[in-house]
Amino acid sequence: MTHYVYRFGGGVSDGGKGDRNLLGGKGANLAEMASIGLPVPPGFTISTEFCDVYYQQGRAFPDGLRAEVATGLAHIEGITGKRFGDATDPLLVSVRSGARASMPGMMDTVLNLGLNDATVEGLAATSGDARFAWDSYRRFIQMYSDVVLELDHAAFEDALEIAKEDNGYFLDTDLTAPDLQKLVAEYKRLVEKAWGKPFPQDVHDQLWGAVGAVFGSWQSERAKVYRRLNDIPASWGTAVNIQAMVFGNMGDTSATGVAFTRDPAIGTRAYYGEFLINAQGEDVVAGIRTPQYLTTAAREAAGAKPLSMQEAMPVVFAELAKVFDLLETHYRDMQDIEFTVQQGKLWMLQTRSGKRTAKAALKIAVDMAEEGLITRDEAVARVDPQALDQLLHPTLDPKAVRDVLTKGLPASPGAASGFAVFDSNTAEKRAIAGDSVILIRTETSPEDIHGMHAARGILTARGGMTSHAAVVARGMGRPCVSGAGSISIDAKAGVMRVAGREIKAGDMVTIDGTTGEVMAGEVPTVQPEVSGDFAALMVWADAARRLKVRANAETPLDAKVAREFGAEGIGLCRTEHMFFDAERITNVRQMILAEDEAGRRVALEKLLPEQRSDFVQLFEVMAGLPVTIRLLDPPLHEFLPHEESEFADVAAAAGIAVDVLKRRAAELHEFNPMLGHRGCRLGVTYPEIYEMQARAIFEAAVLVAQKSGAAPIPEVMIPLVGTRRELELMKAVVDKAAQAVFAATGTTLDYLVGTMIELPRACLMAGEIAEIGEFFSFGTNDLTQTTLGVSRDDASRFLTTYVERGIYARDPFVSLDVEGVGQLIEMAAERGRATRPDIKLGICGEHGGDPASIAFCEGAGLDYVSASPYRVPIARLAAAQAALAARAAARG
């Protein structure tokens, strides 16, 4: 019989931190904390395995599970001495989600479950605090109605605000017990009106409703979006944690808080967090109230007046600090902790490895290695390669003029400018249209996940540095300013008011998530300095990796950026990008429009010095390193005009009649140019094109070798080869040009001629093709297209649906389809090496900067990956992690 319920607390731990896949991160860590003696309220976890069963059985609960849950409740009752549903001394529980991967705010939670019209009286009597009991009941009705009954939460918020206004109150905590009792009656009236039935009074019905809602939230739209953005498989499911309630809203000796053992924004070794006196956990993370600082130093640095926890609750804070140190040492990582203080007693509700910015991740990893807490290899493995992207782009120019409107909390570092938008749907639409936007909200909720992802930055009027907006923004690498309390937002009207000024939808604004500043207009940026912790980690990564890392670059600027980021050569130079230059497109078109070879050669002679200059500049930057140059690849019609208005200008520039130009354009038109007259097919048809390019390559290489003394290593790549004969013909053209240049200059250089493998037939025939080719570079963009029969230019219309329905684990143009395309790459590598053991193998598609694809390349034994310049550090770190993982797997 399958076992689904696992207990923790009271000296019992059925699981531990190693059971993350089964119990989810929260359940595994609750069991682990209980096992090492920390004060954890008792509870139990319904495992992730049941999540799949829940959906398979039509969202029903079998009797076996009900019996296990009854045993779990008895476990909690035995430790607490309270009974679930007891009208005199009721046990209340929380029902929380807990997937194996942290998904903050994406799934549902219900607190104070077990309250009804009878048990609220018992809670008031046993606690001696009627206000606390009725406050807990109104919170429960509001949360249960939202999460389980799916009623409009705004109606309850409105009722709460009206109750406060009617009594002249400002804060929720000003409401008295009679006020709250009236509010509960109003909440129940709202439920019956909207739901058509009274609020459920049976505590077991409440429990199973909440369990179903939490399991159901795994397939909510916001959870799906978050999983898609963070590559979390839908098959993992969530666990459900049911735990005895402890109360932070029992007066001034009670509190709740969220804390990190190190600063998650910048990584410094200092306790970081917020708390609220007389509150429950949702008050902190939801941004409903602006919380107080955890430490005195943080409060003083912010210039805040409300006492820190260190000042207001010194004894409990000291106990909490010891727990911080214990957990960080135990887990050997920075921890994100949730805690509650109930009438002076500390309770630990959660610990997990905390989400952090890239800057913080680097500092924490390097510091912990230097402290001896982890090894250097572990430090390399700790940093998410994709997160480095946050560090590799411009920040605000410190010398620029700033029109500062206000200042909020620096919730997620970095800076961004964009058009002001006030709702997530608009943010997503404008981003798709190519606009940079700043999402401005009173506070964000999990339903804003798509807008937050689309925005360049996020600004909120309410919420602290551990609010939903802050946590999600840091995880996404988006700059965020939260708790900017001086701004007033009218989302319906699309306007933000601050200091007597108005920012309307569509106005340009800038936020600095490092300082908390909010500015009108666009502020200039500067390039970041890649040094310090970043440089240290890259040195450790380079020592660990096997794969070489090159860059895709065709301009001197791109090449310089790539070298600064540690590129070991160029893996793909797309020469057609040079042909599109405005100053030479006329000569390119003259070559295309020529009626014979002689005419084409005249135009090619004009292009030769420009091509040679292009390659000289690249070789100078990459002196002594390999440079892979792909000869002309796209179909010729791409260089001709497409709009009617362009034909006259082009015809005049080319010195031909408009009708001749139109006829030639019509002759070159292809119904499916992706599979048409392009790549090596151009070279076979018009070998003089490849001859000119090869001549330009070798003349440039000789010039740079003679000038610098450091000869580049040209690797001439023939695109779209599908047969041995195609490559044989094109290699002969390249070799002939090389020998002519060497003879004319008296200088000989080493060079390679190879091919881009981007057709399934090339993979199948790799053994024969390797008889001619000295290297293979897998063009995974086109290989994915030709293998899947899917155009990457059009696939976005349906690939999202394919990923959501599990047809592909990820977008195959973002992360390599290792089962299909990967199998072809492995086949080609094996067959190529069987023919030519020293053949050089690499990939140069967009997958070269994707960590998951790089891990595949390590496993396939490729020699290098090539990525866009700004992704070179990402590739270096990912290659190191792949090598470390391979070594660990080999050790067993």
Side-chain angles (χ1 to χ4, degrees), residues 287-545:
I288 295 169
R289 288 167 57 187
T290 300
Q292 297 158 240
Y293 287 92
L294 202 64
T295 66
T296 305
R299 179 187 67 75
E300 290 175 346
K305 292 182 179 180
L307 293 179
S308 67
M309 184 179 181
Q310 189 173 12
E311 296 163 310
M313 296 181 166
V315 175
V316 180
F317 177 82
E319 183 183 353
L320 183 64
K322 290 179 182 178
V323 172
F324 286 171
D325 294 341
L326 173 63
L327 286 174
E328 183 169 281
T329 302
H330 184 76
Y331 282 93
R332 300 167 64 244
D333 196 6
M334 183 265 278
Q335 294 297 291
D336 170 2
I337 295 164
E338 291 182 15
F339 64 90
T340 285
V341 180
Q342 178 176 309
Q343 295 179 320
K345 178 172 175 52
L346 176 67
W347 292 97
M348 304 307 298
L349 303 183
Q350 175 173 287
T351 192
R352 59 187 174 189
S353 293
K355 290 190 177 297
R356 62 207 77 178
T357 64
K359 182 177 182 179
L362 280 170
K363 180 164 183 58
I364 290 169
V366 172
D367 283 356
M368 285 187 168
E370 298 293 354
E371 292 163 15
L373 194 60
I374 59 176
T375 66
R376 288 184 173 184
D377 282 351
E378 286 175 314
V380 168
R382 285 280 174 91
V383 180
D384 177 6
Q386 297 281 30
L388 292 183
D389 204 32
Q390 298 177 37
L391 301 177
L392 306 178
H393 293 281
T395 54
L396 293 186
D397 184 347
K399 299 177 182 178
V401 175
R402 303 185 181 200
D403 180 5
V404 178
L405 297 168
T406 188
K407 190 171 183 179
L409 300 174
S412 182
S417 298
F419 298 109
V421 297
F422 293 89
D423 68 273
S424 289
N425 290 337
T426 301
E428 187 173 51
K429 288 176 184 176
R430 293 203 64 166
I432 291 171
D435 292 337
S436 298
V437 299
I438 302 296
L439 178 62
I440 303 173
R441 303 283 282 157
T442 300
E443 72 247 359
T444 64
S445 71
E447 280 72 22
D448 287 311
I449 182 72
H450 60 297
M452 297 174 74
H453 183 258
R456 291 292 180 89
I458 298 134
L459 168 63
T460 67
R462 293 209 297 248
M465 293 168 70
T466 51
S467 65
H468 175 265
V471 171
V472 174
R474 283 196 294 267
M476 287 181 170
R478 301 291 188 275
C480 177
V481 174
S482 64
S486 63
I487 65 175
S488 170
I489 297 170
D490 185 339
K492 290 183 180 178
V495 64
M496 174 180 82
R497 298 180 178 90
V498 56
R501 298 172 64 178
E502 287 191 350
I503 298 294
K504 297 178 181 177
D507 289 346
M508 182 65 68
V509 293
T510 298
I511 62 169
D512 188 335
T514 303
T515 66
E517 289 181 324
V518 181
M519 293 147 276
E522 185 173 5
V523 179
T525 57
V526 294
Q527 294 294 328
E529 289 186 18
V530 183
S531 57
D533 295 326
F534 182 96
L537 193 80
M538 286 295 104
V539 169
W540 301 346
D542 290 342
R545 69 182 164 91

Side-chain angles (χ1 to χ4, degrees), residues 574 579 693 776:
R574 307 173 180 91
F579 281 23
Q693 290 192 289
F776 288 168

Side-chain angles (χ1 to χ4, degrees), residues 622-872:
M622 292 289 171
L625 297 175
V627 178
T628 304
I629 298 170
R630 184 178 71 188
L631 301 186
L632 193 65
D633 184 41
L636 295 179
H637 80 272
E638 289 193 8
F639 296 97
L640 295 180
H642 305 290
E643 302 296 330
E644 186 69 29
S645 59
E646 295 180 289
F647 277 105
D649 292 340
V650 173
I656 61 173
V658 172
D659 61 335
V660 174
L661 176 60
K662 288 185 175 181
R663 173 179 60 78
R664 186 64 174 144
E667 290 171 353
L668 291 172
H669 174 73
E670 297 182 73
F671 288 102
N672 192 345
M674 186 184 85
L675 302 177
H677 191 196
R678 51 166 287 213
C680 69
R681 299 161 192 172
L682 283 175
V684 170
T685 312
Y686 307 122
E688 57 273 13
I689 298 176
Y690 281 9
E691 179 187 319
M692 181 277 290
Q693 290 192 289
R695 183 178 159 194
I697 290 169
F698 293 114
E699 288 179 352
V702 167
L703 282 170
V704 173
Q706 292 174 340
K707 180 180 178 181
S708 69
I713 308 168
E715 297 179 352
V716 183
M717 184 159 67
I718 313 298
L720 211 72
V721 163
T723 70
R724 178 188 186 280
R725 180 60 174 160
E726 285 171 322
L727 185 56
E728 184 178 36
L729 289 171
M730 295 301 94
K731 186 175 187 299
V733 171
V734 174
D735 287 342
K736 182 179 178 181
Q739 294 311 311
V741 171
F742 295 161
T745 61
T747 301
T748 301
L749 297 173
D750 292 331
Y751 70 94
L752 301 177
V753 179
T755 183
M756 179 176 274
I757 301 288
E758 48 196 324
L759 297 174
R761 190 183 196 280
C763 296
L764 295 169
M765 306 305 295
E768 287 188 7
I769 293 172
E771 293 173 5
I772 308 297
E774 296 164 304
F775 68 87
F776 288 168
S777 180
F778 293 95
T780 52
N781 299 342
D782 273 357
L783 185 57
T784 297
Q785 291 191 105
T786 55
T787 301
L788 302 184
V790 172
S791 168
R792 61 176 168 154
D793 296 321
D794 303 313
S796 60
R797 300 174 187 173
F798 62 86
L799 273 180
T800 298
T801 302
Y802 265 50
V803 172
E804 286 178 354
R805 297 192 177 183
I807 298 172
Y808 295 123
R810 291 183 64 191
D811 182 334
F813 292 104
V814 173
S815 192
L816 194 68
D817 166 33
V818 296
E819 293 178 348
V821 177
Q823 189 176 160
L824 287 173
I825 292 174
E826 290 174 327
M827 179 193 302
E830 180 182 347
R831 294 181 179 183
R833 283 185 170 138
T835 298
R836 187 186 294 268
D838 63 346
I839 192 168
K840 189 180 291 188
L841 302 173
I843 70 167
C844 60
E846 292 303 311
H847 300 98
D850 170 60
S853 304
I854 291 169
F856 165 81
C857 294
E858 173 68 29
L862 302 190
D863 298 305
Y864 70 88
V865 298
S866 189
S868 60
Y870 279 96
R871 295 189 74 79
V872 165

